[in-house]
Amino acid sequence: MFKITLRTFRKLSQLFFLALFFLLFRLTDYSGLDEIPYAVNIFFRWDPLVAATVLLSAKVLVSLLLPSLFVIALTMVFGRVFCGWICPMGTLLDGTGKVIHAPAQSGQSLRSVKYVLLGIILVSSLFGLQLVGYLDPFSLLVRGFTLAVDPVFNLLVTGFFDPLYRYAPQWLSNISEPVYGVLQDSVLPYKQTFFQLSTLSGCVLLAIFALEKLEKRFWCRNLCPLGALLAIFSRFSIFRRFPKQACKGCRDCAPNCRMNAFDSDGRQLRHEECTLCMDCVDDCVNQPSRFRFAVPNSPMQIDMSRRSFIGAGLAGITLPLLSKVDAAHTLPRPFLLRPPGAADGNEFFSRCVRCGECMKVCIQNALQPCFLESGYEGMFTPRLIPRLGYCEFNCTLCGQVCPTGAIGRLSQSEKHSFVIGRAVFDPARCLPFADQSPCIVCEEHCPTYDKAIKFQEVTVVNRQGKSVALKQPYIIPELCIGCGICENKCPLPGDSAVRVVRAGKQSEEDGFGY
Amino acid sequence: MDRRNFLKQVAVWSGGVLLVEPVFRITPDLLAAETVSPLLSVGVGKNYANLVASVLQPLGGMAAFVKPGDQVVIKPNIGWDRAPEQAANTHPEIVKAVAELAILAGAKKVLVFDRTCNEERRCYMNSGIKPALDSIGGRQIQCSYVDERKFVPVTIEKGRSINKWSFYKDALEADCYINIPVAKHHGLSRLTLGLKNTMGVIGGNRGKIHRNMGQNLADLNTVIRADLTIIDATRILLRNGPQGGSTRDVKVLDTIVASSDPVAADAYATTLFGLRPEEIDSTRAAAEMGLGEMRLNKIDIRMV
Ligand code: SF4
Ligand code: SF4
């Protein structure tokens, strides 16, 4: 018979936040309004790890991240309930564990690794190197879903309905099309997206889930730096599990603990590992243990030796130094464009947590993750690739969803004059110059007022020896904002004959651009 | 084969399982068919809904074009993420009025779409066209985004410059195709009017059309020759077309031009900009191919 126990509430809470996570993911899109009416990035804004690293590396308190104080307070009272009751990564891992029958114990403990990772991330961010995006669970999750899972999901569903539409008899597509329509209006993304690094992001996510094969919640126990941070705060928590005196020490509960949080004697819990899943309370035959409020009596031990503590510190100092001498930062990167409203140079790097929200929301699929163009620490930061998608003149969505202000919020009129880059023509390819044939598709699409692309009417002798009247385009640099629609729409095959290069503040910093 | 026979083709096509996409060869017999001087009606007025109705009167009203049970396609210009007063898209009130008249005339279904230049959801929304059509309610009017799967390759047999391009299936299948462009400036072709609006129903790399735009547009219009063209010149964009961006370039004329002859409609609308019909390449090319009449003195112009 179904019994309502504490575990039931925990599961309901997990399902609720998982649903919220997916709902907000879906809502991270253009809705018909210029402003997104929901706090779609809330999971990042209440993430204390994100807040801490941005505070340390950018040396600013980002007010958007204040909700993280709430999670810290929650942890200081109740311990790591966040990991057990809220975190969608934890929930998905629990689900995966069920499916692939994750063992509860693996015999070895790698617990301390997460503290080392946390140490490296925090120390290096103090020296201006932002690494949190590699390991923050929400960054991994949202980015993985944006770059890999969502596009693949859409491809699969479309791949099923498309042949039905194209080749199946009318009566069948008359049934399948409405079903497809309903899916499009509910669970499917608005359109098929394409991303760089989709394979890498997908594999990283897959690997995290595959680790579940080793033991339950492998990621949470051993790797998650957010879990490590919350563990430290949970030292002060006053809501803990206490076995009753009656506990005979049967130890039935200990081997099943998903966090392997029990001491070797099987009675005491390491509170900093406990995620309050309530399994041990519910499963105890005699119900002799329960959670209650009490002042902590047992001092907690963070599983970290002095040596690994120092090691983490040293690594945290060395990595920023190594990144300073990476030639990726001195090499001019003329085509590396940042989103509109992006903070300049270093500040952008230290604020961006590689969460992928901006890439998710971009209505032109224009924002793409960097690979190694800006050093390994720039991996997964957003760049605008106009040939894949241009920046829509009236759109300001990426600045609205960025949780850290790496991309600033722009009003529509600020956006209209924000310089992302500047377009430059290549007359060796541009049709009216190189081919003596009419075109100026770029001029037609240029959205600025006045148009940054103008044309000159000339008469030239073409290859056939005929004199023809032509309109040859040119750029007015002061008017160009580098939205890239010209580069995107240029009808030439392959590279465009007009390309946007870095300009504005970003390029002043690396001494390049114009 | 003309558009109407196309329906049969589609039935055959979707009846069996085909692995290769079929090619449609469409060569309307309409070319050079009209010998009498075409009728063209021009109206000026502030109430656009009434204006549309009265401009259609001399042409026999909407009933002369839409028969009960028809599948009607209305093709406005929704190309740009611009507001109605910026004159880059067809005015939403006009689109709405035309759609309502088509329903009144007994249309079974009215499809409204455009392959936009900016992001389609923003264009449909901020042009005001989707909200206007949604306000009518009912299931007969479908204002939907272009579905890439519906572009089918067509062999343009009468084409002089292009002989193959993909067209939107709904446009090819329509019993009645109503073109409602907005009249505005365009850098390359000087103006964009009805014939140019056909670019919104074709697939592929449209930038290529620009290489010989006038003739290419005429060629495309041998496949889709609008049954009715209603040119929105309620406000016209004089500079910085085709998308404008400032009301400084906009002149309010409160004028609508309608004709069953697409070339005549374009020819007349050209004069609103102080230009002569032959100055627009597409008008000239289309007239040469017999798609319609561009000599103003051969057009029966009715002012309402
Ligand atoms: S890059 Fe441009 S189009 Fe993409 S979300 Fe940002 S503002 Fe919108
Ligand atoms: S710039 Fe993009 S990836 Fe970086 S923090 Fe902002 S939204 Fe996230």
Side-chain angles (χ1 to χ4, degrees), chain A residues 29-30 32 34 162 165-170 177 180 190 363-364 390 392-394 412 435 437-441 443-447 449-451 455 471 485 489 491, chain B residues 14-19 21 80-82 117-122 125-126 145 149-150 169 186-188 196 205 207-208 210-211 240-246 248-249:
Chain A
D29 196 358
Y30 175 69
D34 288 334
D162 226 39
Y165 171 81
R166 284 179 199 274
Y167 309 118
Q170 190 81 51
E177 278 305 291
Y180 185 42
Y190 172 69
I363 50 173
Q364 287 293 357
Y390 65 93
E392 193 68 66
F393 190 54
N394 292 328
Q412 211 170 74
D435 188 56
S437 64
C439 183
I440 61 167
V441 173
E443 185 266 357
E444 174 178 345
H445 286 87
C446 180
Y449 191 86
D450 253 355
K451 278 180 190 293
F455 55 80
K471 294 169 174 168
I485 194 170
K489 305 271 180 181
Chain B
S14 45
V17 178
L18 290 180
L19 289 176
E21 281 190 359
W80 307 97
D81 180 13
R82 297 287 194 206
C117 297
N118 289 132
E119 209 266 348
E120 58 275 24
R121 289 172 295 174
R122 294 195 63 95
M125 197 56 155
N126 298 330
Y145 306 118
R149 304 175 303 175
K150 288 192 178 174
K169 204 170 127 209
H186 187 279
L188 185 63
K196 172 93 177 28
N205 180 351
K208 283 191 188 155
H210 286 218
R211 286 184 89 152
N240 279 307
Q243 56 169 319
S246 166
R248 265 174 286 170
D249 295 338

Side-chain angles (χ1 to χ4, degrees), chain B residues 27-39:
Chain B
T27 47
D29 316 315
L30 280 162
L31 299 189
E34 276 159 280
T35 42
V36 283
S37 47
L39 215 51

Side-chain angles (χ1 to χ4, degrees), chain A residues 12-300:
Chain A
L12 285 176
S13 161
Q14 280 187 301
L15 284 178
F16 170 79
F17 283 103
L18 186 65
L20 180 70
F21 176 80
F22 284 127
L23 180 69
L24 292 179
F25 182 79
R26 213 14 101 238
L27 290 176
T28 310
D29 196 358
Y30 175 69
S31 66
L33 302 168
D34 288 334
E35 303 275 319
I36 294 187
Y38 315 94
V40 291
N41 53 10
I42 193 69
F43 278 88
F44 292 99
R45 292 175 48 196
W46 67 33
D47 179 341
L49 183 64
V50 162
T53 53
V54 172
L55 177 71
L56 290 174
S57 66
K59 323 275 185 284
V60 283
L61 196 73
V62 180
S63 59
L64 271 169
L65 297 174
L66 286 179
S68 62
L69 290 179
F70 165 75
V71 170
I72 292 180
L74 186 77
T75 310
M76 287 175 72
V77 177
F78 292 103
R80 283 174 70 180
V81 271
F82 185 84
C83 302
W85 292 56
I86 296 176
C87 179
M89 178 71 105
T91 307
L92 288 172
L93 287 171
D94 282 347
T96 316
K98 276 233 170 75
V99 176
I100 65 178
H101 301 294
Q105 315 248 328
S106 67
Q108 52 179 321
S109 172
L110 300 171
R111 259 200 262 281
S112 60
V113 175
K114 63 175 177 291
Y115 296 109
V116 175
L117 293 175
L118 174 69
I120 296 177
I121 290 174
L122 288 180
V123 175
S124 55
S125 67
L126 183 63
F127 294 99
L129 178 67
Q130 181 59 284
L131 296 177
V132 73
Y134 282 109
L135 290 168
D136 177 76
F138 304 126
S139 290
L140 285 164
L141 213 52
V142 173
R143 210 172 57 213
F145 270 81
T146 300
L147 307 184
V149 181
D150 206 29
V152 167
F153 173 56
N154 191 58
L155 196 68
L156 272 176
V157 179
T158 314
F160 177 76
F161 284 99
D162 226 39
L164 288 182
Y165 171 81
R166 284 179 199 274
Y167 309 118
Q170 190 81 51
W171 64 266
L172 189 56
S173 42
N174 281 347
I175 303 170
S176 68
E177 278 305 291
V179 177
Y180 185 42
V182 171
L183 291 177
Q184 278 182 315
D185 292 342
S186 52
V187 291
L188 287 179
Y190 172 69
K191 64 177 173 199
Q192 181 69 50
T193 47
F194 301 90
F195 286 101
Q196 302 194 135
L197 301 193
S198 52
T199 308
L200 178 63
S201 328
C203 289
V204 168
L205 209 55
L206 215 62
I208 291 174
F209 287 98
L211 284 173
E212 202 71 358
K213 198 75 198 157
L214 299 178
E215 57 185 22
K216 278 186 186 167
R217 288 240 185 172
F218 185 97
W219 162 263
C220 308
R221 288 184 195 186
N222 307 317
L223 298 175
C224 182
L226 175 60
L229 186 69
L230 294 178
I232 293 173
F233 281 111
S234 74
R235 305 192 99 190
F236 312 104
S237 72
I238 50 173
F239 186 69
R240 295 180 168 195
R241 173 185 175 277
F242 289 92
K244 277 193 191 144
Q245 288 307 317
C247 172
K248 308 208 175 58
C250 73
R251 298 218 223 155
D252 273 357
C253 48
N256 290 324
C257 176
R258 70 187 63 207
M259 293 300 288
N260 195 14
F262 283 88
D263 261 353
S264 41
D265 82 347
R267 284 192 93 227
Q268 288 297 326
L269 260 185
R270 296 161 174 270
H271 301 289
E272 77 281 6
E273 295 295 327
C274 169
T275 61
L276 294 96
C277 73
M278 302 292 162
D279 275 354
C280 57
V281 179
D282 284 355
D283 287 342
C284 182
V285 265
N286 307 314
Q287 295 281 327
S289 63
R290 62 193 166 107
F291 281 79
R292 63 179 159 85
F293 289 97
V295 183
N297 48 7
S298 61
M300 281 188 4

Side-chain angles (χ1 to χ4, degrees), chain A residues 339-340 358 361-364 366-367 384 390-392 395-399 415:
Chain A
C358 52
V361 85
C362 183
I363 50 173
Q364 287 293 357
L367 296 183
L384 186 101
Y390 65 93
C391 177
E392 193 68 66
C395 172
T396 57
L397 294 179
C398 52
K415 165 73 195 296

